[in-house]
Amino acid sequence: MLKYFHRDKETSEAFDSVIDGLKKVYRSKLLPLEQAYKFHEFHSPVLDDSDFESKPMVLLVGQYSTGKTSFIRYLLESDFPGIRIGPEPTTDSFIAVMHNEHENVIPGNALVVDPKKNFKPLSKFGNAFLNRFQCSQLDNQVLKSVSFIDTPGILSGEKQRLDRGYDYAAVLEWFAERCDRILLLFDAHKLDISDEFKRSIEVLRRNDEKIRIVLNKADMVDHQQLMRVYGALMWSLGKVLNTPEVARVYIGSFWDRPFNYDTLRRLFELESQDLFRDLQSLPKNAALRKLNDLIKRARLAKVHAYIIAELKDEMPTVFGKDSKKKELIKNLDKIYDKIHRVHNISPGDFPDIHRMRQILDQFDFRQFKSLDKRLVDRVESMLTSDITQLMQMLPKEETRANMESPGGVKGGAFDDSDGPFGIGQTEGVNAGIGEQVWPVERERAEYDALFDDLAPVGGRVSGAAAKAELVKSKLPNSVLAKVWRLSDCDKDGMLDRDEWALANYLIKIKLNGHELPNTLPDHLLPPSKRSLYPTLDASPAVHQDD
């Protein structure tokens, strides 16, 4: 009976926040299973508090001279300590670009012993890596919300035969597991995927939901060449990613140089807007990402425990242990199939079989442990009870994140949306903001002529008469209904001369490829209707009703 009450108390534990709950359930329920079955030696190091508390990180990966470092500089709108940009391989180190009030550079050996940073497990890659690892800190508004990991350019040709002195792919994998977003950068003039790049992408594929692909330096080719470049990139990616879905590629030139070809400026602006919106969402979704990663880790740890326990149980007690070990490793696919059938585990939850064979070859199976059902049940309890409770806390967590950082990442290139050079600031419904003249006035003569042709009664046209003319735009009824709601300012079911002009102006905006607002902006409200909204300032006189 006491055990029952203890278990009930454990599953209904209250958490102060999602991050606090993740730390508690990991230490109390998942970590014991990982330690019992050597999970950390096969897959991923132990998680500590800094892994849960760290800011969102963005990992940039690509071949040399694809603009990774320039991309970070473009977002920060400033240099960072240790920055080197050039056409040949210049960044030969992993550089963590992070926030600090004082500008400095922390070398790798000092960085991995800093308890405030989550880089301690990287010490396992040795001095060859740590000598090529540093943290560049500076006081930048963007870095208050997100950190960036710049990586050495992936080599191609004869250069890729050079030994870096550490396992480059394994380091990428470590960062990929802990990053919130992975940007794969390609140069419009460099679409070949070298062997090292292919191995890197295969490692990153285990976190494919985090990957975004950027075709950089797209202004270096004209629009016809860009079509061919895009097709070649998709063909190359299709051979490596091997997924049925078409990868989303963001096209642009992320640096501060003049465009070589300016014809696609609008496309580049829209693409950068989409990419920036994705990056700006990272702080808000940081807790959800950590929760999702812990669920993935728990599922993998559970499957790993079944595999290790099965190998232990298959080993003979006295003779023939070495030959049996070789047999089990060779027939690991059969063990996977058995676990899949007995425990109803999805095939997608199993670790890569080739990698498991390589690692298993280094272990003595006699040191493995048989299955401890209690440890597995605690992880099941975590997934069914604690994770559900934490999921319910996410909306409040996101609301709190929005209050602390409205709109997500701020500063640098993310603030360029203000002013006339922001994307769409002087286009569509935003055209004419801040001007003295009502924007519709510029095309008033054309709209007034149409209005008079409809033979208005009492200075107004009915809905039926207006519909007969407005449907000539060939817009769907749902769009025209929205135009009507926005234009009928006084809600009398008819349109006067100003409202008619406004309706035609909104239709033109839609036909030009811009979106309509859900509510009419103040600057588009006809001056003759301003009296309906006393809080608005008076504006110049325009045509009055007939």
Side-chain angles (χ1 to χ4, degrees), residues 52-281:
F52 295 101
E53 298 168 353
S54 62
K55 295 176 185 176
M57 291 195 299
V58 178
L59 176 68
L60 290 95
V61 182
Q63 298 186 123
Y64 70 89
S65 191
T66 54
K68 299 185 297 298
T69 306
S70 297
F71 185 90
I72 298 176
R73 187 189 184 284
Y74 176 83
L75 295 182
L76 301 182
E77 293 187 344
S78 69
D79 292 340
F80 56 85
I83 185 173
R84 293 172 60 202
I85 298 175
E88 282 298 311
T90 50
T91 303
D92 61 350
S93 303
F94 282 82
I95 302 177
V97 185
M98 309 182 80
H99 180 264
N100 194 294
E101 294 180 357
H102 305 287
E103 188 172 302
N104 58 37
V105 175
I106 305 175
N109 283 286
L111 191 58
V112 295
V113 296
D114 187 347
K116 296 181 181 179
K117 303 288 193 299
N118 61 330
F119 301 125
K120 182 179 178 180
L122 288 170
S123 58
K124 70 176 183 178
F125 295 106
N127 282 329
F129 165 73
L130 296 179
N131 292 334
R132 292 287 182 267
F133 179 44
Q134 68 181 52
C135 178
S136 297
Q137 296 184 317
L138 68 156
D139 188 9
N140 186 284
Q141 181 71 17
V142 175
L143 298 176
K144 291 181 179 180
S145 303
V146 64
S147 302
F148 296 92
I149 307 296
D150 194 9
T151 63
I154 296 175
L155 305 176
S156 60
E158 289 297 321
K159 297 186 184 72
Q160 65 184 315
R161 300 180 185 275
L162 300 176
D163 185 11
R164 296 181 184 269
Y166 60 90
D167 191 339
Y168 178 81
V171 175
L172 275 186
E173 181 180 20
W174 187 92
F175 277 110
E177 289 178 353
R178 287 157 179 80
C179 282
D180 296 68
R181 193 67 76 236
I182 303 168
L183 299 184
L184 278 182
L185 273 76
F186 290 85
D187 187 331
H189 283 113
K190 193 181 299 178
L191 298 179
D192 61 304
I193 297 179
S194 65
D195 292 340
E196 187 178 42
F197 199 6
K198 182 178 180 180
R199 289 193 297 270
S200 301
I201 295 176
E202 288 173 349
V203 166
L204 298 175
R205 277 182 56 194
R206 298 164 193 155
N207 298 275
D208 56 355
E209 77 280 0
K210 303 177 184 179
I211 295 177
R212 303 292 184 270
I213 298 167
V214 178
L215 177 57
N216 199 16
K217 303 183 182 180
D219 73 294
M220 303 296 287
V221 297
D222 61 30
H223 64 281
Q224 185 179 20
Q225 292 173 318
L226 185 58
M227 288 179 59
R228 294 171 179 160
V229 167
Y230 180 82
L233 175 60
M234 299 303 293
W235 179 78
S236 298
L237 287 173
K239 295 195 301 181
V240 179
L241 296 178
N242 195 28
T243 57
E245 300 87 3
V246 176
R248 171 67 163 96
V249 178
Y250 297 91
I251 304 173
S253 291
F254 299 94
W255 53 15
D256 53 7
R257 303 180 186 180
F259 290 153
N260 281 5
Y261 293 93
D262 193 42
T263 54
L264 295 176
R265 174 188 290 269
R266 175 67 178 172
L267 171 66
F268 297 159
E269 289 177 347
L270 293 174
E271 291 287 285
S272 65
Q273 183 184 44
D274 289 347
L275 181 57
F276 284 10
R277 190 181 296 116
D278 182 70
L279 295 178
Q280 283 183 304
S281 69

Side-chain angles (χ1 to χ4, degrees), residues 316-329:
T317 55
V318 183
F319 301 110
K321 294 180 180 178
D322 290 339
S323 60
K324 185 62 175 179
K325 173 184 172 180
K326 294 179 181 179
E327 180 187 341
L328 289 173
I329 293 176

Side-chain angles (χ1 to χ4, degrees), residues 448-462 465-466 495 497 500 546:
D448 282 350
L450 286 173
F451 184 79
D452 292 334
D453 289 343
L454 296 177
V457 177
R460 289 171 170 77
V461 296
S462 65
L495 299 182
R497 187 177 296 272
W500 170 259
D546 288 348

Side-chain angles (χ1 to χ4, degrees), residues 497-540:
R497 187 177 296 272
D498 287 347
E499 292 172 332
W500 170 259
L502 175 60
N504 282 270
Y505 182 79
L506 293 175
I507 286 176
K508 185 174 182 179
I509 287 175
K510 184 63 178 178
L511 291 175
N512 286 337
H514 302 286
E515 293 301 318
L516 296 178
N518 292 322
T519 57
L520 190 67
D522 293 346
H523 72 285
L524 287 184
L525 186 68
S528 61
K529 306 297 179 183
R530 292 292 174 105
S531 59
L532 301 175
Y533 302 86
T535 58
L536 298 180
D537 296 333
S539 58

